[in-house]
Amino acid sequence: MIVGIANIYLYTGLTKNGGGPSAEAKAWLDEQGVEYTHLHYGDPEQHASVFEALSTWFPNEDVSIADFPFVVYEERQDDYSTVQRILYGLEAITSSNLVELTLLTPKGK
């Protein structure tokens, strides 16, 4: 059972889609009061290596990252294990239950 989440990272960048979706994802997280670390990749030369590396973080899911924005976080289980999760794309972020999950975790944990 999920008892909280930790280590929330918003990944954004300047891509073929412009700053729009990345900026909207950041604004949404800010408006919701979600505490996160913002990792912005403004150099398109970095993108392929970032996407390739991060795609390997989810061995139990078929994840293929090709654009920004996305959110990565750790889901904490009641058996003290953690599972790495990804919300890929603006729609996935804004329609997720991320805000509710953050409420499960006491502040400062």
Side-chain angles (χ1 to χ4, degrees):
M1 179 169 87
I2 301 169
V3 296
I5 63 173
N7 302 320
I8 303 168
Y9 294 92
L10 169 64
Y11 289 80
T12 63
L14 298 176
T15 65
K16 61 184 176 268
N17 292 332
S22 287
E24 289 178 51
K26 182 178 184 325
W28 185 85
L29 289 172
D30 290 344
E31 290 167 5
Q32 303 306 311
V34 174
E35 293 182 25
Y36 63 93
T37 300
H38 184 194
L39 302 172
H40 180 74
Y41 293 88
D43 180 0
E45 297 297 318
Q46 297 174 305
H47 296 179
S49 62
V50 170
F51 298 152
E52 183 179 330
L54 287 172
S55 291
T56 67
W57 288 14
F58 309 93
N60 298 325
E61 298 178 50
D62 183 22
V63 174
S64 177
I65 302 170
D67 203 358
F68 296 104
F70 53 94
V71 169
V72 174
Y73 64 94
E74 292 176 2
E75 190 177 82
R76 294 180 175 176
Q77 305 293 317
D78 59 357
D79 65 357
Y80 300 101
S81 66
T82 60
V83 177
Q84 195 84 336
R85 299 290 186 200
I86 186 168
L87 300 170
Y88 182 57
L90 180 61
E91 176 66 26
I93 295 167
T94 59
S95 66
S96 73
N97 65 342
L98 188 64
V99 174
E100 290 82 4
L101 291 174
T102 63
L103 298 175
L104 295 175
T105 309
K107 295 288 184 200
K109 298 275 179 166

